[in-house]
Amino acid sequence: MLSRKFLRRAAITAGACAGFLALSFAALWELDRAFPPPLPKKLAVSTEVQDRDGQLLRAFATPDGYWRLETHLDQVDKQFVDMLVTYEDKRFWDHDGVDVLALGRAAGQLVTSGHIVSGGSTLSMQLARLIEPRESRSIGSKIKQMLRAIQIERRLSKREILERYLTLAPYGGNLEGVRAASLAYFGKEPKRLTVSEAALLVALPQLPEKRRPDRNLEIAHAARDRVLSRMVSSGLIGEREAGRAALDDVSGLRRTLPALAAHASYAMLPKAVPGQPLKLTIRKSVQQGLEQVARDAAAKLGPRLSVAMVLADSRTGDILGEVGSANFFDASRSGWIDMTKVVRSPGSTLKPFIYGLAFEQGLVAQETLIEDSPVDFSGYRPRNFDLGYQGDVSIRQALQLSLNVPAIRVLDAVGPARLTARFRQAGVNPILPVNEAPGLAIGLGGVGVTLRDLVQLYTGLANGGKTHTLHDGTEPANAESSATTILNDQANWQIIDILSGVKPPEGALQRGIAYKTGTSYGYRDAWSVGFDGRYVLGVWVGRPDAGAVPGLSGYVSAAPILFEGFVRSGLATVPLPGKPPGAFTPRREDLPVTLARFGAGSDGLVQATPTEPAPTIVFPPDGARVDLGTTSADATPLVLKLQGGRAPFRWLANGKPLTGIDRRRTATWQPDGAGYSTLTVIDAVGRAASVKVFVE
């Protein structure tokens, strides 16, 4: 039996040991509290600007110059994570920061071989080194890493440790974190990596500068193959899979990180909150397509010319793509200026809304005739772009041909003040000269608007007459996107029907869109705005310094970019809105007298009675005998001439119409044979004149 004295001593010893252990744990606890690891709640990471779906549009380097993108496990390929853990720390999910077995193995290999064969660092220890870089490779620094790893494990979950490691791990140069590395070396996010790509990303952090594929391609290739071999020996992948992966080339190219939507991204920076990505309504695929179109177009257009584009969803007002300039960093084109927000003259792009108001007020129908001829509005004398005149044209033709004089005639009837009021109702405030009321010149671009303004107005045409305030995410948090009516649905459809018939530019694919072009005074701005049943795209071309560009025009310079932009946006074409109830397009002969011809008198009432003289056939005279040599093989045609009347004119010979309708006052007729014939001409308002001739 044990003596009482021995038991007493044993109890005292046990108590002393317990007390020592308790004091030791208490001391360690206090040391842990006194010297916590530097684990900020949020890492200092690059500011990210993301699209509507969370895809990276643009990143900004950290203040210390690193590309360091915050990484979460759900953003990374699972097989890569499995390979990383297997290669670096296979008992990661089980230990508490230090893997005693791995340390013992590394120590034994060091003793037997005389040099380091494998390390014993866990991922937690590596994270400790990343957040607190060591000054040397001494035993003391290693012990400090182990203690820090234990501290880290007490504060972070395994998932959080992995995410911080994947955010901070070095990958060569100023690349930190697996996302920045994957984007730079493979041009993609690390969500779906090939086996070869995953193996390379596992190998790089051990010796990031030595293994950089953009500088040491062979070394990087060998390091990747070693990872593949280790994965085979560990049973994570099969030999065949590893063999196929080893055949993949390792690219020596380092790509730039995504740098899209420059103007919107920089505008978002004041909203930046550390660790939180900034969100735009832009869709990355759309933005990429538009920026490429703008770059290609600017290269063709020539020096100093820039291109701006805005593509919006008419149903929500969301901007899906916006290009402020052809190249943000091109000083020769003043690329830093966001031309989507600069006020410029819109040329003829406002004409659809002039005619829309006229349809709304019942002043016109599509086949209503209107005169395109010189006119004077109290000293204001609008002229057509080509300085020529067409005579009588239909409202449909006047808008499709973008004739200036008819547009001003209609604007004079509907009222410039009513037009600008409708714009303001739709959320667009046109800029007028100081202390000047809206005048007729606004119909031809005598007012200031931005490209965004134009696209916002045209969202009404694509959306049944209801506009939405455009937004891209840069607006104040309390900004609202409200819907307002710019045209009633029937008038709106009439404009759509007309614009959908405008001929596409040469070489462009017909995409089922309606569009309008415009050119500002002095050839300073070229515009084209088009839409389908949902999406609206606006294009501006010109010099940011407002310099004149001879030959610049909406149809030649901007319209091809519009059609190419729709194609490269990748958006499926949405059919244009169908005809609403009550809308109709009567033939010209079915029009009521008040709609047959448009004209505005001093009393503001529509005039149906023409004021010019009726048509008269002046050659051949009535009763003439004309020798055309009809009996010979080379009979000559008869020239017909008239005076008066309103163009266009239709000629008939013996009641049979000659081919086409002519705006000229001369025509030719090839008779079938000799004998009497009756020639008749009918003008645009139905007045007729006839002569009877004998042909020999």
Side-chain angles (χ1 to χ4, degrees), residues 517-518 526-528 539-541 553-563:
T517 61
W527 306 84
S528 186
V539 175
W540 170 87
V541 177
S553 75
Y555 187 77
V556 173
S557 308
I561 301 174
L562 174 81
F563 278 77

Side-chain angles (χ1 to χ4, degrees), residues 69-366:
L69 305 179
E70 187 169 21
T71 306
H72 301 285
L73 281 182
D74 57 5
Q75 296 174 298
V76 182
D77 191 300
K78 184 180 183 303
Q79 187 175 44
F80 163 76
V81 176
D82 292 341
M83 292 172 68
L84 174 68
V85 171
T86 300
Y87 192 79
E88 294 283 1
D89 188 1
K90 64 182 179 181
R91 281 178 286 275
F92 170 73
W93 301 104
D94 300 319
H95 63 64
D96 293 323
V98 177
D99 187 348
V100 178
L101 294 177
L103 286 174
R105 182 199 67 233
Q109 291 171 338
L110 175 62
V111 170
T112 57
S113 65
H115 64 275
I116 297 175
V117 177
S118 64
S121 293
T122 63
L123 287 171
S124 304
M125 292 170 64
Q126 293 183 48
L127 176 59
R129 186 175 71 245
L130 292 172
I131 63 175
E132 209 170 22
R134 62 189 177 188
E135 297 178 358
S136 65
R137 296 175 61 88
S138 64
I139 295 177
S141 64
K142 196 73 170 181
I143 292 173
K144 182 179 179 181
Q145 277 181 29
M146 290 189 285
L147 294 174
R148 284 301 198 199
I150 294 171
Q151 287 182 297
I152 290 171
E153 292 269 350
R154 291 186 62 248
R155 288 166 170 80
L156 300 178
S157 68
K158 292 288 188 180
R159 183 183 180 91
E160 291 171 328
I161 291 171
L162 260 182
E163 289 179 339
R164 293 209 175 201
Y165 174 83
L166 294 174
T167 300
L168 296 173
Y171 281 90
N174 63 345
L175 296 175
E176 289 191 355
V178 69
R179 285 185 61 211
S182 183
L183 288 165
Y185 295 134
F186 311 136
K188 65 180 182 180
E189 292 277 358
K191 183 67 175 175
R192 291 179 177 84
L193 298 170
T194 66
V195 174
S196 173
E197 292 167 344
L200 180 61
L201 293 180
V202 167
L204 287 179
Q206 294 178 340
L207 295 168
E209 291 303 322
K210 186 176 180 180
R211 295 177 177 176
R212 284 178 60 173
D214 59 323
R215 292 190 177 179
N216 304 300
L217 186 58
E218 291 185 5
I219 296 175
H221 197 287
R224 180 207 64 179
D225 290 348
R226 284 194 294 273
V227 173
L228 291 173
S229 297
R230 180 83 67 83
M231 295 304 104
V232 172
S233 62
S234 66
L236 189 64
I237 62 176
E239 289 188 13
R240 288 188 177 181
E241 187 176 13
R244 288 193 297 268
L247 294 175
D248 291 345
D249 290 332
V250 175
S251 173
L253 175 67
R254 173 173 167 171
R255 301 165 178 82
T256 57
L257 267 63
L260 299 170
H263 297 91
S265 295
Y266 279 100
M268 288 289 280
L269 278 181
K271 294 184 175 184
V273 176
Q276 292 184 15
L278 300 166
K279 284 270 192 177
L280 292 171
T281 62
I282 285 171
R283 182 171 293 161
K284 184 176 182 178
S285 58
V286 173
Q287 186 69 24
Q288 284 177 314
L290 295 187
E291 290 195 14
Q292 188 61 54
V293 169
R295 284 193 297 270
D296 294 346
K300 293 178 182 177
L301 288 166
R304 306 184 73 177
L305 282 165
S306 193
V307 177
M309 308 172 77
V310 174
L311 192 151
D313 186 337
S314 68
R315 300 178 187 176
T316 63
D318 289 351
I319 292 177
L320 303 181
E322 56 184 338
V323 181
S325 66
N327 187 331
F328 185 82
F329 296 104
D330 189 343
S332 68
R333 304 179 198 271
S334 302
W336 59 85
I337 300 176
D338 186 355
M339 295 305 299
T340 69
K341 299 178 180 178
V342 175
V343 175
R344 303 298 281 260
S345 165
S348 296
T349 56
L350 300 181
K351 288 177 181 175
F353 304 99
I354 298 173
Y355 288 103
L357 288 180
F359 277 110
E360 237 183 45
Q361 297 173 36
L363 298 179
V364 297
Q366 288 196 32

Side-chain angles (χ1 to χ4, degrees), residues 616-619 638-644 647 649-651 658-669 681:
T616 302
I617 299 175
V618 295
F619 188 87
L638 177 63
V639 176
L640 312 176
K641 298 181 180 181
L642 67 88
Q643 289 181 348
F649 307 100
R650 181 180 293 278
W651 288 88
L658 303 186
T659 303
I661 298 177
D662 206 329
R663 299 184 179 281
R664 298 169 299 174
R665 285 177 163 75
T666 61
T668 58
W669 168 57
V681 65

Side-chain angles (χ1 to χ4, degrees), residues 330-590:
D330 189 343
S332 68
R333 304 179 198 271
S334 302
W336 59 85
I337 300 176
D338 186 355
M339 295 305 299
T340 69
K341 299 178 180 178
V342 175
V343 175
R344 303 298 281 260
S345 165
S348 296
T349 56
L350 300 181
K351 288 177 181 175
F353 304 99
I354 298 173
Y355 288 103
L357 288 180
F359 277 110
E360 237 183 45
Q361 297 173 36
L363 298 179
V364 297
Q366 288 196 32
E367 292 303 319
T368 298
L369 291 174
I370 188 168
E371 187 176 359
D372 178 32
S373 60
V375 65
D376 188 331
F377 293 95
S378 301
Y380 177 57
R381 301 179 180 88
R383 295 184 298 175
N384 288 325
F385 185 76
D386 61 0
L387 303 181
Y389 298 94
Q390 300 288 326
D392 279 354
V393 293
S394 68
I395 290 293
R396 182 180 182 89
Q397 292 169 324
L399 179 52
Q400 289 182 341
L401 296 174
S402 196
L403 301 176
N404 290 343
V405 174
I408 298 305
R409 289 184 187 274
V410 175
L411 180 59
D412 187 46
V414 301
R418 181 175 287 137
L419 180 67
T420 55
R422 195 64 65 92
F423 290 159
R424 294 189 183 97
Q425 180 179 314
V428 171
N429 292 308
I431 306 303
L432 295 165
V434 179
N435 298 324
E436 284 195 21
L440 294 178
I442 66 175
L444 304 183
V447 67
V449 297
T450 68
L451 179 58
R452 269 202 181 195
D453 290 337
L454 272 182
V455 173
Q456 183 163 319
L457 291 175
Y458 274 75
T459 60
L461 296 179
N463 193 42
K466 297 186 181 301
T467 63
H468 278 279
T469 303
L470 298 191
H471 55 274
D472 61 5
T474 62
E475 300 78 16
N478 58 354
E480 296 182 0
S481 177
S482 55
T484 55
T485 299
I486 189 167
L487 292 173
N488 68 35
D489 58 350
Q490 295 182 26
N492 193 76
W493 179 83
Q494 298 285 355
I495 299 302
I496 293 174
D497 189 54
I498 294 173
L499 294 182
S500 65
V502 178
K503 181 182 177 182
E506 185 176 354
L509 295 175
Q510 176 58 264
R511 280 188 47 95
I513 64 173
Y515 81 107
K516 182 73 184 72
T517 61
T519 308
S520 69
Y521 177 77
Y523 303 97
R524 289 176 170 82
D525 310 275
W527 306 84
S528 186
V529 190
F531 57 93
D532 61 14
R534 179 165 186 172
Y535 303 110
V536 181
L537 175 59
V539 175
W540 170 87
V541 177
R543 284 177 48 167
D545 63 0
V549 184
L552 188 74
S553 75
Y555 187 77
V556 173
S557 308
I561 301 174
L562 174 81
F563 278 77
E564 182 67 16
F566 266 113
V567 172
R568 297 289 286 274
S569 72
L571 297 171
T573 303
V574 179
L576 290 165
K579 183 186 295 187
F584 67 104
T585 53
R587 297 176 301 173
R588 184 173 303 166
E589 55 267 30
D590 296 331

